[in-house]
Amino acid sequence: MYDFAIVGGGIVGLSTGVALSQRYPDATILVLEKEDRWAFHQTGNNSGVIHSGIYYKPGSYKAKFCRDGAQSMVAFCQAHNIPYEVCGKVIVATSAAELPLLENLYQRGVQNGIPVARLTAAAVREIEPHVSCLAGIRVFSTGIADYKQVCQTYAELIRQRGGELRLRTRVDRIINTPTGHVLETNQGAFETRFLINCAGLHSDRIAKLGNVEPNAKIIPFRGEYYELTPETRHLVKGLIYPVPNPAFPFLGVHFTRMIDGSVHAGPNAVLSFKREGYKKTDFDRRDFAEIITYPAFWKLAATHANEGIQEMIRSFSKAAFVRSLQRLIPDLTADDVIPAHAGVRAQALREDGKLVDDFLIIHGERSVHVCNAPSPAATSSIEIGNAIVAQIPAPSNVQSAARV
């Protein structure tokens, strides 16, 4: 029997394994991942940004974990020679209507303890010469990193400390017992005293397998990107973001210089008809049926109908996508961008039709379930892992360690 079993080998599951191995060095730890490599889904397809925490409600998990995580992620990359850069970013207003929203964002950054500065349009152009705007703010602590390498390092640390890592192992059934849980998988059964569910796109299903009701359902949103051609990468020096719509839970299409020097533009946010649907044509009958028969989805669709239509138009029209990019960089043309990868965001939707705005961590009998951990989960992964472990009762058969 294992002391701890973690379901999900993305960045949150692996960071939790690292935190467990630090706090309980003598504990037996098992990490199960159904894919053939770590960080296959959300982590492996995100933008690689080390977020600052400027967008999030003061006092929320997201605000605290992200602000602290920006520092701990940089420290981790430094300690393990993982490529990263703290390049900062600019958030710009391109219309008069956005100016008060930009000021609200600046004030939120101050409230969250994040180093930010107001910028005139001229000051923005000193940083990003090709941007057109009325004003902006600079967020100094934003950066970029190679999160796939971060995950590989997490996994290696768990392995070095005696943890067991199993790929290609899908959990099909959970049997609760008086002493813990039996996880029935396609590779056999595993018994554990404590279960930690970090299954991302399938976290709500894993919770229900363990007889825990999350009172929310994962709705998958596909984010589609374009990439600047090598000849036009000079148009973007670092990270350029628009002022987000405060009523819509996504940040809007933006420009991100990746750690390899490429520049990605996007993403949009469209409903995916498959939880792991990275292509427009991807479809899963079960996933689709769960969405359209969930009354809360139709409440959400009615609330954000206009935004949803615009996102769908950008998904199917390159011209429309480019027009949204030209709001930030007018010199950009359709010939300057080529299709890039897509990612799928696991977004929890409550039964009242409201999207879960914060990380959602639910406690069960001898279990913890992370049922909403979209962006900025990668940035916050060390902090999330530590917070999860701090909420777990100490196993009676192992001693805790004070090391960090």
Side-chain angles (χ1 to χ4, degrees), residues 10 13 73 82 131 198 229 231 257 259 263 270 282 291 319 361 374:
M73 181 55 66
I82 297 171
V131 167
C198 299
T229 62
E231 296 78 18
R257 180 170 289 276
I259 201 69
V263 177
V270 294
D282 284 344
I291 293 170
I361 301 174

Side-chain angles (χ1 to χ4, degrees), residues 245-264:
N245 179 351
F248 199 52
F250 303 101
L251 298 181
V253 293
H254 50 268
F255 294 94
T256 305
R257 180 170 289 276
M258 309 291 280
I259 201 69
D260 63 1
S262 63
V263 177
H264 285 198

Side-chain angles (χ1 to χ4, degrees), residues 153-222:
T153 305
Y154 285 167
E156 185 57 33
L157 288 172
I158 296 169
R159 185 179 293 108
Q160 289 173 2
R161 296 169 183 172
E164 185 174 337
L165 302 166
R166 286 181 172 264
L167 295 168
R168 305 180 186 87
T169 307
R170 183 189 66 250
V171 175
D172 297 320
R173 187 183 179 199
I174 298 175
I175 302 171
N176 298 328
T177 70
T179 57
H181 313 272
V182 175
L183 310 180
E184 294 188 351
T185 79
N186 60 321
Q187 300 292 337
F190 303 90
E191 191 171 3
T192 182
R193 292 184 174 88
F194 200 93
L195 168 66
I196 304 169
N197 166 19
C198 299
L201 286 159
H202 302 279
S203 57
D204 56 338
R205 291 173 175 171
I206 294 296
K208 289 183 177 180
L209 286 179
N211 290 327
V212 172
E213 179 51 62
N215 295 315
K217 187 181 292 293
I218 294 297
I219 303 296
F221 288 92
R222 185 174 59 255

Side-chain angles (χ1 to χ4, degrees), residues 70-341:
Q71 299 178 35
S72 58
M73 181 55 66
V74 167
F76 186 85
C77 290
Q78 290 173 337
H80 297 279
N81 297 314
I82 297 171
Y84 80 97
E85 180 184 352
V86 181
C87 53
K89 76 174 178 183
V90 293
I91 305 173
V92 299
T94 59
S95 70
E98 291 178 340
L99 291 174
L101 299 177
L102 184 69
E103 177 61 21
N104 291 343
L105 205 54
Y106 171 82
Q107 294 298 336
R108 176 160 284 191
V110 172
Q111 292 170 9
N112 285 338
I114 296 163
V116 293
R118 296 184 182 94
L119 300 174
T120 64
V124 170
R125 285 192 292 273
E126 289 180 5
I127 302 168
E128 295 287 352
H130 299 278
V131 167
S132 175
C133 67
L134 299 180
I137 58 177
R138 188 169 192 182
V139 187
F140 294 94
S141 55
T142 302
I144 51 177
D146 184 342
Y147 284 127
K148 289 183 180 180
Q149 193 166 335
V150 168
C151 285
Q152 292 296 334
T153 305
Y154 285 167
E156 185 57 33
L157 288 172
I158 296 169
R159 185 179 293 108
Q160 289 173 2
R161 296 169 183 172
E164 185 174 337
L165 302 166
R166 286 181 172 264
L167 295 168
R168 305 180 186 87
T169 307
R170 183 189 66 250
V171 175
D172 297 320
R173 187 183 179 199
I174 298 175
I175 302 171
N176 298 328
T177 70
T179 57
H181 313 272
V182 175
L183 310 180
E184 294 188 351
T185 79
N186 60 321
Q187 300 292 337
F190 303 90
E191 191 171 3
T192 182
R193 292 184 174 88
F194 200 93
L195 168 66
I196 304 169
N197 166 19
C198 299
L201 286 159
H202 302 279
S203 57
D204 56 338
R205 291 173 175 171
I206 294 296
K208 289 183 177 180
L209 286 179
N211 290 327
V212 172
E213 179 51 62
N215 295 315
K217 187 181 292 293
I218 294 297
I219 303 296
F221 288 92
R222 185 174 59 255
E224 298 158 333
Y225 289 85
Y226 281 86
E227 181 179 350
L228 269 61
T229 62
E231 296 78 18
T232 55
R233 290 176 181 171
H234 68 277
L235 295 175
V236 177
K237 304 300 181 185
L239 282 71
I240 307 168
Y241 281 64
V243 176
N245 179 351
F248 199 52
F250 303 101
L251 298 181
V253 293
H254 50 268
F255 294 94
T256 305
R257 180 170 289 276
M258 309 291 280
I259 201 69
D260 63 1
S262 63
V263 177
H264 285 198
N268 63 346
V270 294
L271 180 68
S272 174
F273 296 147
K274 182 179 180 181
R275 292 203 181 193
E276 298 169 6
Y278 298 100
K279 300 176 183 177
K280 292 182 177 69
T281 55
D282 284 344
F283 179 85
D284 181 270
R285 182 178 298 176
R286 177 189 178 189
D287 295 347
F288 178 70
E290 283 190 358
I291 293 170
I292 64 170
T293 59
Y294 188 41
F297 168 73
W298 296 106
K299 296 178 184 177
L300 175 72
T303 302
H304 296 292
N306 291 335
E307 294 92 344
I309 290 171
Q310 292 303 314
E311 296 289 338
M312 291 177 64
I313 290 172
R314 275 196 290 267
S315 176
F316 287 95
S317 169
K318 181 179 181 180
F321 201 109
V322 170
R323 281 196 297 272
S324 64
L325 298 175
Q326 289 171 332
R327 290 181 57 214
L328 302 175
I329 300 181
D331 293 341
L332 202 68
T333 71
D335 293 334
D336 298 330
V337 297
I338 54 178
H341 71 91

Side-chain angles (χ1 to χ4, degrees), residues 33-69:
E33 167 55 48
K34 70 183 181 65
E35 305 295 351
D36 61 2
R37 56 188 182 273
W38 309 113
F40 187 88
H41 289 293
Q42 290 188 99
T43 308
N45 292 287
N46 71 19
S47 61
V49 174
I50 301 175
H51 288 283
S52 65
I54 191 171
Y55 299 107
Y56 311 118
K57 182 180 179 181
S60 64
Y61 277 138
K62 279 189 176 182
K64 182 180 185 304
F65 289 170
C66 190
R67 182 195 63 218
D68 296 345

